Amino acid sequence: MPGGRLTQQERQQIALGLADGLAYAEIARRLERPTSTVTREVMRNGGPTSYRADLAHRATERRAHRRKQSAPRGPEAAQDAYGRDAEAVREYEETLTTVFIASGTPKMMARVMASLTISDSGSLTAAELVARLQVSPASVSKAISFLDTQGMVRRERDERRRERYVVDNDIMYEGMMASARSMAQVAETARQGVGILGSGTQAGTRLENIARFLDFVAENTARAADQAREILHTKPEPAAPDS
């Protein structure tokens, strides 16, 4: 099975496979690559509808060049406390960022969210985000303001009175509940339109169906989030000792 980075020819085969409507697993099988490699490649380069082999190849070269320029050298290079592969971590952060973008999160906000999510503490200061993402303080401030209003991060002060931005176990739960409330509000607004446009009209029927659909989804989303909340606080079982 081939290893290493994808070649430009392989990226062209991925693009052709997507154009033919092939699943990631089938494309990966033809390339003799893991399905995760193809999935990550497509998601970090525009998604299945926007993927272009030439742009993806150039983007990968630019990322590699930036990493080479910014990578610390010599004894000052930071060591990961868990011995993780730094390159694999960087690639995963890019993949997670791309998935957040594909789900509708603006790019800068997605980058901040991904950095917070993969940090072991689940929290970073503005200065740490600026250094980690190599962006301006204004960009971080704007991203945090957006994420804060969406309930996707929270703010707290550390022992040095610095403001830290936190993604913890309850953030995902609160985000799902906020989504349920938002759907319920849209449903209520749609239902108000039925009274104005008439329940027997095409527009009124459409709005009524939208309201009933969103009521159902919102209710089930909130119920499922409540039922599954404890999962967010479950600690993994310790590994069994070698015999």
Side-chain angles (χ1 to χ4, degrees):
M1 179 177 290
R5 296 188 179 278
L6 289 166
T7 65
Q8 188 162 17
Q9 183 179 9
E10 286 177 315
R11 289 191 167 94
Q12 289 170 348
Q13 290 179 264
I14 290 173
L16 290 172
L18 293 171
D20 288 340
L22 299 181
Y24 293 152
E26 175 59 21
I27 297 173
R29 187 188 66 78
R30 295 185 181 190
L31 293 177
E32 296 185 329
R33 291 275 193 171
T35 302
S36 60
T37 297
V38 175
T39 303
R40 184 168 60 244
E41 166 69 14
V42 174
M43 292 306 297
R44 74 156 58 132
N45 290 292
T49 59
S50 301
Y51 182 84
R52 284 184 54 184
D54 54 343
L55 296 181
H57 196 69
R58 288 200 294 270
T60 300
E61 290 180 336
R62 286 196 299 270
R63 286 193 293 266
H65 182 66
R66 286 199 302 268
R67 285 196 290 266
K68 185 177 180 180
Q69 286 184 321
S70 62
R73 302 177 185 276
E76 70 277 10
Q79 297 297 315
D80 186 274
Y82 296 96
R84 291 174 290 213
D85 183 330
E87 177 68 11
V89 172
R90 278 193 293 267
E91 288 190 357
Y92 175 72
E93 184 171 356
E94 290 175 1
T95 299
L96 185 60
T97 298
T98 303
V99 170
F100 284 154
I101 293 172
S103 70
T105 305
K107 183 177 180 179
M108 190 65 238
M109 292 66 172
R111 294 187 66 196
V112 169
M113 193 68 183
S115 289
L116 288 169
T117 301
I118 71 168
S119 65
D120 285 304
S121 66
S123 71
L124 295 167
T125 65
E128 288 168 339
L129 283 166
V130 166
R132 183 172 183 140
L133 299 175
Q134 295 293 292
V135 296
S136 69
S139 296
V140 169
S141 177
K142 183 178 180 181
I144 288 295
S145 295
F146 173 85
L147 293 171
D148 189 18
T149 60
Q150 298 297 309
M152 299 173 71
V153 301
R154 64 178 175 83
R155 304 169 189 255
E156 63 179 29
R157 296 279 179 180
D158 62 17
E159 66 280 357
R160 296 169 57 184
R161 303 302 299 165
R162 297 176 304 179
E163 187 170 72
R164 301 190 71 86
Y165 311 118
V166 181
V167 173
D168 60 14
N169 288 331
D170 278 326
I171 286 295
M172 183 61 68
Y173 169 78
E174 295 296 342
M176 292 300 293
M177 295 302 289
S179 176
R181 289 192 296 270
S182 178
M183 285 188 286
Q185 184 176 21
V186 174
E188 178 57 29
T189 302
R191 192 166 285 108
Q192 291 172 7
V194 176
I196 296 172
L197 296 171
S199 60
T201 65
Q202 288 181 314
T205 300
R206 185 182 308 116
L207 287 170
E208 177 60 30
N209 289 340
I210 290 172
R212 290 190 297 111
F213 171 79
L214 290 177
D215 277 339
F216 180 85
V217 174
E219 181 181 343
N220 281 275
T221 297
R223 182 184 299 113
D226 277 329
Q227 292 173 344
R229 190 177 189 180
E230 65 181 70
I231 294 174
L232 294 169
H233 299 274
T234 302
K235 294 183 178 180
E237 293 292 333
D242 294 333
S243 56

